[in-house]
Amino acid sequence: MSTGRDLFSLPAGPAELCFDKNEFMKKTFSVDEFLHENRNAGSLEIIRDDLGVYLKVLRSAMIELINQDYADFVDLSANLIGLDQQIGGIGGPLEKLREEIVAVRDALEGTMGDISDCLEQKKALRGYKKGLQSLGKVQGALVKLESLLRPAAAEEINPTLLERAALESIQLQFNIKFCSEFLNQDQLNKSEELKASLLAQIKGYFLRTLKQNDLDGLERCLRIYCTLDECGTAEEVFKTEIVSPYMGRVVSESGLQNSPQGLTGIYNQILDFISLNMKNLLALTKKNGKVKGYNFIVHSFWTEVERRMETNMSSIFAPGNPESFYQKYKCTLEFLERIELIIEDPSEIAAFKAHPQYKSFQVRWNLPVYFQIRFQEIGSNLEKACGRELDAPKFTTQQISPAQFNLLQFSVALTCISSCWQDGIYLPQLFHRFLKLTLQLLSRTTTWIDTAINSPPEDPSLKLKLLATLFSDITNLSRKIPQIVNLIHSKSPPSLTLPQSSLDELFFDNRSSLTTKLNRLQTLVVQELVQAAIPHLKQVSDIPRLYRKTGREVPSRCCQYMEQMVAPVGTFRERYAELIGAERLKEFLAGVYASLTLNYYQAVDEVLVSVQKTEESLRRLKNLRDRNANPTGVTPASNTNNSSSSSTASMSDDDKIRLQLQVDVIHYVQEIERSGLARGEIEKLPELIQLVEDATKIRIGGNQQQQ
């Protein structure tokens, strides 16, 4: 959109124009857009005529503008006359000036090039001069070094001369760098020969000081090596001349077979080498020693030991025998830890562990194969146990106990889990693998529980015992999980820093699964007990037949069906109360009695309704008979007195039925209370009690005993 800043002052046109004159000054003016916006203002002929009118207005305005500024236009044209000649006159001198500047620049560049060549020549001359000076120094150093390194016996080596020769050798090598192009091949060969001779004499002196335990001489020798920047040479000499012969005698298959202590004895002999042959070296080269730059433990001792073990004792790495492999690996870890204690300095210990041969040595111990063998051993034991069927005779006769596992599969599972973390099997380097195996063992046990639940014993009478035993063992296994977590946490490597809360989360699924199995077993037990009791409830409907027109006495004890109905629940409570636990048993019994009470309520209600209907029918029939026998409606006094005395002397059949139902309910309530449950804990039980109380008008006391 355009703004006021996009518009300029234009001459005003007639008011009847069909368009806005300011639209022509918009930066975004478009003919198509102009016609589109004004298509409704009039026809094209009107727009054309209005445009023509406004064009005349613009022409008139332009003429007026020219007339007003005519003098300025004339002056401008007069001032421009002869401007070309003036510009041409200025151009010539400027072009000449440019050529002169270019010439000066070329001259300067040529001079600078000559100066640069001179400087390069001077630099080369200085180099030649320095090279010639160095050549002279090299020649003098060769002569001097040769005189210092005259052949001498090892016992005649003078350490002072060696130090001077080392300094001279350094000067020689330094000067050779600056005059290498002037040296001939003979001079270069001579330099190498003298250096080799120097190193040979230092080597002899080094070995002599080691042999004689000359601490001061050893220190001077190490400083000479350090001066020559040949620390690695000293370490190599020690490894080749001292370490290698010793390890060649100690580290071998025959030595391993003949060692009374086995691999431990070999490691002890290896470590004895340090105390026998490296005491002075370590005293001088440790962190607080007088000489820096050496690491004889790693570069001389360890490299040779590791090489010999890989080549001469490769049998120790074989994982075929897991017990032997475990002992050898643990012994090796202790050996490495003892080396680290000798090193002491954390930075040097880190360098020791980062050494390629240390890593190669660790890789040679095939821990994955060892774990696979242990996995097959432990896993196969549990798999065999889970594959076994429950031994029916043994299961029938064995004494079940809530304090221990009663089924073999659970005992084997806990034994297998414990085996994963016991000494002789568990290795900290395999922590994650054994942790995963523990979770797999728990998962396999959980899977077997489903199999056991879905495969009941052939004898139906053993089903409740199996379910209760499974419930007890699963409960015990759930209680063992925190102990397992604590055991795993105590076995976790210090470098892992695994919090116990993280371990708890790992076992959350296993605990949840076991809880689900317990709830399922509880449901199955409740179903079994209810199914055993429900058939006896059908006899409630037979109570009216027992009392109606039979002349039975007033009921004083419960019917047999009631005893039969609560007998399975009572038997289960007596047998398995200790096995399941008091609190959980109450949940079992509450579920059973809740289901039974609901069905019992319906049965009692149906009987009471039927009795009431029968009673009302008999009453109507009796009234009808009385009206037919006595049309006058007068009742004999004798009959009235007899009826009144009879009603007081005996209870009607319907009242006996109601009372029997109440007696049965009282016995049922007493059984529930004997189980440790309150009346209010059982759904529908208060309604059942109220139902029989309303029928008999006799209230059942909370602690009433009914025989």
Side-chain angles (χ1 to χ4, degrees), residues 303-400:
T303 53
E304 183 64 20
V305 169
E306 194 276 334
R307 185 182 68 84
R308 293 283 183 177
M309 291 180 67
E310 283 196 9
T311 55
N312 299 345
M313 285 200 319
S314 58
S315 63
I316 66 173
F317 303 107
N321 185 338
E323 288 77 14
S324 175
F325 180 87
Y326 176 87
Q327 295 298 331
K328 292 176 180 177
Y329 185 69
K330 290 290 289 184
C331 180
T332 302
L333 291 180
E334 294 175 359
F335 168 65
L336 295 176
E337 290 175 358
R338 291 171 67 183
I339 294 177
E340 293 176 11
L341 291 175
I342 294 173
I343 296 175
E344 292 182 354
D345 184 26
S347 60
E348 293 185 3
I349 293 176
F352 172 56
K353 292 183 176 181
H355 196 275
Q357 285 186 246
Y358 182 91
K359 296 180 179 179
S360 173
F361 183 72
Q362 292 285 11
V363 172
R364 288 297 299 271
W365 296 93
N366 204 332
L367 296 180
V369 174
Y370 167 78
F371 173 78
Q372 192 62 32
I373 295 174
R374 292 300 192 186
F375 177 87
Q376 293 175 356
E377 290 178 353
I378 296 172
S380 61
N381 291 336
L382 179 60
E383 197 61 39
K384 289 177 183 177
C386 292
R388 293 178 56 181
E389 296 183 359
L390 293 175
D391 191 349
K394 183 178 179 181
F395 179 71
T396 306
T397 58
Q398 71 176 351
Q399 295 294 326
I400 56 179

Side-chain angles (χ1 to χ4, degrees), residues 17 87 140 160 257 461 468 526 534:
L17 293 176
I87 294 174
T160 304
Q257 299 298 327
S461 62
V526 170
I534 283 293

